[in-house]
Each structure stands twice: as structure tokens, then as C-alpha cells.
């Protein structure tokens, strides 16, 4: 008896045949490729269309020959910028560097028809770069460089001294470290030097006081030395030594600056000893701040010769004794701070200034005035040995000319103008 295939077996066979028919072209293709390889016939190449040509970069047009010299310098410096949170360098494109943010062009002194980079003002840009070498010193006509509040570091190249027109240099509030940048001493004609709010340390070289500086700001660093006697040679009008670690006495040579020194801050150092009586000869002086030191002794009566003085600060020291009436007779005084010392006596002229809110004598040892030290505090101070100032008798003398010595008549009412040196205590200015 014949056995017929079941319907399920027939269905499976049909499915297998259909699958083999579907895969047949694939097997034939593989077989052909193997045959071609055996007979050395390469497979056909697939030709793709060529890519479209890249757009041509337009040439950089530089409008002046002198700008052609500085253009690559700026572009190279741009590549060293590691941080630019305000996007300043995005404007440093194209051939006319005079249009870049922070760059200013003028006619150079030796060619009044050319244009060149004469000034750079990076104040507040917050740019970071590991060095300024190869940048400032490679701009041959640069006269002014200001870079307050950035993150520049490294050293200052001696090549900067080759710039013939440079007269203002401001590295304030950056990340510079190490010794005083000696390269600046060789810059002929430098009149403005601002290196405050960095981390310079060591000593300020005496030679800096023989430079033709008008402004010299070194406050808020880590300089630790005695102020050299060469200080008296400086022609500078505005000086800040504040917030460092200067030690020793204020040199007597300060009297030699009488025709120029206008504002000076010794604030918050480690200065000691007595005030030199020569301070009284500073006829141009408007601001003197020796607060927050360890100065001691009597205030010299020669302070009464400071006819232009407007702001005087002797607070938070170890001064004692009487407050000179000659000092309180200065007609231009707007603020006189003697607080946190050990003064014991004030006369009628000084008492009037207290009433006018000009003189501050809080936290002293003046028994009949309010807000003074405790009796025990004062006794404890006076029982200890005191430094006796040399030539003590001269501290009670006053040798002003009639033009300097001010009477106790009507006080001057000059408007209060922000002081240059106190502005330097703001790190972002």
C-alpha cells in the first residue's frame, strides 16, 4: 500500500524551495567574485562624484605697512590666550588691527601719515595667558599698556626696554610672581608704573627711585624690606607702598621730595620708629597715610607746615603725648585720623576739629573725651619703656615759612576730590 506525503510535509518542502530561490542570486554573486579572483580579474570599481571645491579664503588686507608688522604679533598672541570669558578676541579678525577691541592706533612720532598701535587697554578683560613675552616687546610703536584685572603671568622680558615711546605700564591685578620686574628700570621715559595687586616679593630696587616716574604704585604685593634712602630722589607725585611688609623707619630723605610729592600711602606695613620731622617740608603734599603700622613717639610740630594737606591718617599706631595744635590749625584739612593710639592731650584748635567731624581721636587716652581706651590699657602702655625719638627737642619746633604756616582763621572749603592714591586701593581700577 502506497504511503502519501502528509500536507504538513509538503508545506515545509515548498517553504524550503522558496528560501533557496531567494538566496540563489547571492550565491551566484559570491561564486562570480571567487572566479574573478582566481582568474585575476578585479571587481568593477565604483566611481563617486568628486567633492565640491572648498570656498576660497579671501586674502587679509592690511591697510598700513606698520600694521603689517604688528598684525602677525597680535595673531600669535591670540593663540596663547587660554581664557576669554568676555569674547574679546572674537573681534581680533581682519587685517585692520586698529578695529580690534582693546587696541588703539595713532600716528607714530616719526611719521605723521602712518598709523600704528600706540596704546593697548585690556582693563577688565579677564584674559588669561601664560606670558606677555613676544607680545608687548614686539610692538615697536607702543606708548601705553594697561591690563588691570586679567590673568596674565610669567616674567617681563628685558626686550621691553627697546620700545622707544613706552611711558605708561600697568600690570595691576594679575598673576605675576617673583622678584620686582627689573626690566622696567631700563625703559627710558617711563612715567607711570603700576604693578599693584600681584604677588611680587623681595625688594624694590633703589634704582627705581631715580627713574623719571610720576606715578609709582606697588601696593598689595609681598615686598619685605626697609625703604631705601634713595627714596628721597624720586620725582614721583603719587606713590603707594600700602599693604606690603615694608619695615624700619620712613627715611629722612623724604624731605628731598618737597617740590613734587603730592600723595603717599604707607598704610598697613610694618614700619616702626618715629616720624621724621622732614615730612613737614613737603609743601605739595595733600595726602599722607601711615595708618596700621607700629610707628611710635611724638607727632612732630613740623606737620603744621603741610599747608596743602587735606587727608592725614596716623591711626592704629603707637603714637603718644600731645596732639600738636599746629597740626590742627591746617586750613585745608578734610580728614585727620588719630584714632587707636595713645595720645593724652588735645588743645582748643583740635577740639574744634573734633566738633566739626574732621578729627577722629577715638580709642586714645584723653581722659575728658568719650570713646577712649580704658585706664588699665593706658597705664599698661605707659609703664613700658618707650622709644625716645632722636633730637627730641626738634619735635616741638616748627620752622615753616610764613606762606606755609597757616593761621587759625577761616578754614578753606575746597571741594572733596577723590584721591589718586586711595583709588589705587581698589584692585579693579
Amino acid at each position: 500500500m502506497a504511503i502519501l506525503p502528509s500536507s504538513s510535509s509538503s508545506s515545509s518542502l515548498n517553504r524550503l524551495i522558496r528560501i533557496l530561490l531567494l538566496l540563489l542570486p547571492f550565491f551566484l554573486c559570491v561564486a562570480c567574485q571567487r572566479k574573478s579572483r582566481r582568474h585575476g580579474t578585479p571587481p568593477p570599481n565604483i566611481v563617486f562624484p568628486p567633492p565640491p571645491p572648498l570656498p576660497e579664503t579671501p586674502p587679509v588686507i592690511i591697510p598700513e605697512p606698520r600694521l603689517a608688522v604688528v598684525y602677525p604679533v597680535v595673531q600669535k598672541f591670540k593663540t596663547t590666550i587660554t581664557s576669554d570669558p568676555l569674547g574679546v578676541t572674537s573681534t581680533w579678525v581682519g587685517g585692520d588691527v586698529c578695529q580690534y577691541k582693546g587696541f588703539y592706533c595713532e600716528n607714530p612720532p616719526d611719521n605723521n601719515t602712518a598709523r600704528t598701535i600706540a596704546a593697548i587697554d585690556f582693563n577688565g578683560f579677564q584674559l588669561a595667558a601664560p606670558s606677555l613675552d613676544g607680545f608687548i616687546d614686539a610692538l615697536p610703536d607702543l606708548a601705553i599698556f594697561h591690563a588691570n584685572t586679567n590673568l596674565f603671568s610669567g616674567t617681563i622680558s628685558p626686550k621691553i626696554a627697546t620700545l622707544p615711546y613706552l611711558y605708561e605700564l600697568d600690570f595691576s591685578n594679575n598673576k605675576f610672581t617673583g622678584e620686582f620686574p627689573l626690566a622696567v628700570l631700563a625703559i627710558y621715559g617711563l612715567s607711570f608704573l603700576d604693578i599693584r595687586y600681584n604677588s611680587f616679593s623681595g625688594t624694590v630696587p633703589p634704582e627705581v627711585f631715580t627713574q623719571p616716574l610720576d606715578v609709582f604704585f606697588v601696593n598689595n604685593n609681598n615686598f619685605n624690606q626697609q625703604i631705601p634712602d634713595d627714596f628721597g630722589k624720586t620725582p614721583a607725585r603719587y606713590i603707594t607702598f600700602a599693604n606690603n611688609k615694608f619695615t624700619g623707619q620712613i627715611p629722612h630723605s623724604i624731605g628731598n621730595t618737597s617740590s613734587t610729592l603730592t600723595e603717599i600711602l604707607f598704610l598697613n606695613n610694618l614700619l616702626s620708629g618715629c616720624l621724621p620731622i622732614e615730612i613737614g617740608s613737603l609743601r605739595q603734599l595733600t595726602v599722607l597715610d601711615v595708618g596700621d603700622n607700629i610707628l611710635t613717639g611724638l607727632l612732630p610740630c613740623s606737620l603744621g607746615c603741610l599747608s596743602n594737606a587735606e587727608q592725614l591718617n596716623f591711626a592704629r599706631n603707637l603714637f603718644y603725648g600731645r596732639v600738636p595744635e599746629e597740626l590742627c590749625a591746617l586750613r585745608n584739612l578734610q580728614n585727620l585720623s588719630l584714632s587707636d593710639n595713645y595720645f593724652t592731650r588735645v588743645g582748643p584748635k583740635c577740639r574744634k576739629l573734633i566738633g566739626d567731624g574732621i578729627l577722629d581721636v577715638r580709642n586714645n587716652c584723653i581722659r575728658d573725651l568719650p570713646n577712649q581706651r580704658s585706664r588699665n590699657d593706658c597705664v599698661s602702655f605707659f609703664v613700658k619703656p618707650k622709644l625716645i625719638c632722636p633730637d627730641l627737642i626738634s619735635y616741638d619746633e616748627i620752622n615753616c615759612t610764613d606762606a606755609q604756616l597757616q593761621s587759625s582763621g577761616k578754614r578753606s572749603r575746597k571741594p572733596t576730590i577723590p584721591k589718586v592714591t586711595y583709588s589705587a586701593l581698589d584692585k579693579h581700577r
Side-chain angles (χ1 to χ4, degrees):
M1 184 174 79
I3 302 175
L4 296 175
S6 67
S7 61
S8 60
S9 298
S10 175
S11 174
S12 297
L13 180 61
N14 290 335
R15 234 182 348 259
L16 177 60
I17 292 171
R18 283 197 299 269
I19 291 172
L20 291 174
L21 290 173
L22 287 172
L23 294 177
L24 181 61
F26 171 75
F27 290 126
L28 290 174
C29 180
V30 171
C32 289
Q33 288 181 352
R34 288 180 176 176
K35 182 178 180 182
S36 297
R37 291 192 186 100
R38 283 198 303 270
H39 294 279
T41 304
N45 290 326
I46 301 175
V47 180
F48 294 97
L54 295 173
E56 292 186 5
T57 303
V60 175
I61 301 174
I62 301 176
E64 293 276 351
R66 291 212 182 191
L67 297 182
V69 173
V70 298
Y71 170 80
V73 174
V74 177
Q75 292 301 318
K76 181 180 179 181
F77 176 64
K78 181 179 177 180
T79 65
T80 70
I81 300 293
T82 58
S83 178
D84 179 14
L86 303 181
V88 172
T89 58
S90 65
T91 70
W92 297 1
V93 294
D96 190 357
V97 295
C98 301
Q99 301 301 315
Y100 295 3
K101 188 173 183 179
F103 293 85
Y104 300 87
C105 294
E106 292 289 347
N107 307 120
D110 62 346
N111 188 340
N112 60 10
T113 62
R115 291 172 71 227
T116 186
I117 294 177
I120 292 175
D121 184 357
F122 288 170
N123 285 352
F125 283 3
Q126 303 176 45
L127 299 173
S131 176
L132 295 175
D133 287 1
F135 175 50
I136 303 176
D137 51 278
L139 302 175
D141 301 305
L142 188 67
I144 298 172
F145 181 80
H146 285 207
N148 173 270
T149 309
N150 286 278
L151 298 169
F152 298 136
S153 57
T155 58
I156 310 303
S157 171
K159 295 179 182 178
I160 201 172
T162 64
L163 302 180
Y165 309 124
L166 186 63
Y167 68 92
E168 287 195 13
L169 199 53
D170 177 2
F171 297 126
S172 59
N173 195 23
N174 277 276
K175 298 295 182 182
F176 291 101
T177 60
E179 300 291 319
F180 183 92
L182 295 176
V184 304
L185 298 178
I187 302 175
Y188 175 78
L190 188 67
S191 64
F192 183 102
L193 179 59
D194 184 354
I195 60 171
R196 60 198 166 93
Y197 284 101
N198 280 285
S199 297
F200 290 117
S201 58
T203 62
V204 175
E207 295 84 356
V208 75
F209 299 111
T210 63
Q211 303 298 305
L213 292 171
D214 186 59
V215 174
F216 182 47
F217 293 160
V218 297
N219 55 284
N220 295 85
N221 280 284
N222 294 309
F223 293 116
N224 52 353
Q225 67 179 104
Q226 292 191 13
I227 299 173
D229 286 337
D230 295 72
F231 170 66
K233 298 177 182 178
T234 182
R237 293 190 298 155
Y238 304 100
I239 300 176
T240 60
F241 291 117
N243 303 317
N244 279 281
K245 298 174 184 176
F246 288 105
T247 61
Q249 294 184 319
I250 297 173
H252 291 271
S253 64
I254 191 173
N256 298 331
T257 66
S258 61
S259 62
T260 53
L261 190 58
T262 304
E263 299 181 19
I264 185 162
L265 305 185
F266 294 105
L267 175 71
N268 192 29
N269 279 284
L270 300 171
L271 298 172
S272 58
C274 301
L275 277 184
I277 61 173
E278 290 82 2
I279 286 179
S281 67
L282 304 180
R283 58 181 180 271
Q284 302 298 326
L285 195 70
T286 61
V287 174
L288 171 65
D289 194 329
V290 298
D292 292 280
N293 281 281
I294 46 177
L295 296 163
T296 190
L298 301 176
L299 290 184
C301 291
S302 64
L303 294 173
C305 299
L306 299 176
S307 55
N308 289 307
E310 298 175 11
Q311 300 202 32
L312 301 175
N313 181 24
F314 303 96
R316 294 174 294 281
N317 278 283
L318 301 173
F319 294 117
Y320 58 87
R322 83 287 178 274
V323 178
E325 281 283 87
E326 295 86 352
L327 174 60
C328 294
L330 292 172
R331 290 172 54 190
N332 292 315
L333 274 181
Q334 298 171 359
N335 184 280
L336 172 58
S337 182
L338 304 176
S339 64
D340 295 278
N341 282 285
Y342 292 88
F343 293 110
T344 55
R345 301 193 309 278
V346 290
K349 293 177 182 178
C350 294
R351 289 175 184 269
K352 185 177 186 309
L353 292 189
I354 295 171
D356 293 341
I358 295 173
L359 172 58
D360 182 2
V361 291
R362 289 174 297 174
N363 214 29
N364 277 280
C365 298
I366 307 169
R367 296 267 60 87
D368 62 334
L369 292 180
N371 302 312
Q372 299 296 298
R373 295 180 182 273
S374 69
R375 182 177 295 274
N376 287 341
D377 192 2
C378 293
V379 169
S380 176
F381 174 79
F382 283 105
V383 298
K384 295 176 182 177
K386 301 289 177 297
L387 173 67
I388 304 300
C389 300
D391 198 16
L392 185 59
I393 193 171
S394 64
Y395 278 72
D396 286 324
E397 295 176 351
I398 185 166
N399 296 309
C400 309
T401 64
D402 290 340
Q404 286 179 283
L405 188 59
Q406 301 297 299
S407 71
S408 57
K410 186 177 180 180
R411 298 187 56 77
S412 172
R413 295 297 180 186
K414 288 184 177 181
T416 301
I417 301 174
K419 302 306 177 186
V420 174
T421 48
Y422 281 125
S423 297
L425 298 180
D426 180 349
K427 69 191 310 184
H428 298 296
R429 295 186 66 174

